[in-house]
Amino acid sequence: MGVLQENLLENAQRMAALAEDAAFGAAFDRAADAMITSLRQGGTLLACGNGGSMTNAQHFAEELTGRFRGNRPPLRAMAISDPSHLTCVANDYGYEFVFSKFVEAFARPGDVLLALSTSGKSPNVLRAAEAMKAAGGIVVASSATAESPLGQVADVTIALGPSRWADRVQESELVVIHSLMQAIEDGFGYSAE
């Protein structure tokens, strides 16, 4: 068996286990409901993460402000990914504040932060979650386990299951992000054309 086949088989096993996990499904539904409620009330969805999770956060926001499956009005979402903001804050305060300072500037009560951390231990993502809670917002965490520091702060934790490798968790994370986007579009009655 080659590398590709091994990776596909491992991902298929991870996805099948998540599909059968009732707690995972319930957490997903709570997260989607919180996001839909926030958007209906004029709120904003923020997203943050490091490395591959940063690109997943950007993907989440751009599909909502642009288009996922069907033509529809744009939805209020943004990833905390502006390089000038990130480097300014990292230089002046430290890397652990790069997301929380943005949350402090923009978050309002009822907004939702999608906090992505495969380990659930990233200090900058954890600080962002704490800042969102202080602003009166809701934190949806995506990490390997609900017992992580991030999971303990979050209102809803979508636990993707532990793995030896972060890329396996990020691949599951991307499936969740696509599913959240679909649930949001469905919640607003936007059907794919």
Side-chain angles (χ1 to χ4, degrees), residues 15-27:
M15 293 298 115
L18 290 174
E20 297 296 322
D21 185 339
F24 176 81

Side-chain angles (χ1 to χ4, degrees), residues 122-133:
S122 300
N124 56 358
V125 177
L126 185 56
R127 283 189 186 272
E130 292 166 345
M132 180 57 88
K133 299 282 282 200

Side-chain angles (χ1 to χ4, degrees), residues 73-144:
L75 299 168
R76 293 178 58 87
M78 56 182 158
I80 306 172
S81 59
D82 181 324
S84 59
H85 166 81
L86 298 174
T87 56
C88 169
V89 173
N91 184 63
D92 293 346
Y93 296 98
Y95 192 67
E96 65 272 22
F97 296 97
V98 295
F99 301 135
S100 61
K101 290 289 186 184
F102 192 94
V103 170
E104 289 171 16
F106 289 100
R108 300 295 175 257
D111 288 349
V112 177
L113 173 69
L114 178 60
L116 306 172
S117 172
T118 58
S119 69
K121 298 176 184 174
S122 300
N124 56 358
V125 177
L126 185 56
R127 283 189 186 272
E130 292 166 345
M132 180 57 88
K133 299 282 282 200
I138 297 164
V139 176
V140 172
S142 172
S143 68

Side-chain angles (χ1 to χ4, degrees), residues 140-165:
V140 172
S142 172
S143 68
T145 68
E147 294 76 29
S148 69
L150 180 60
Q152 297 303 304
V153 172
D155 297 288
V156 179
T157 301
I158 301 172
L160 302 169
S163 175
R164 179 178 174 200
W165 306 110

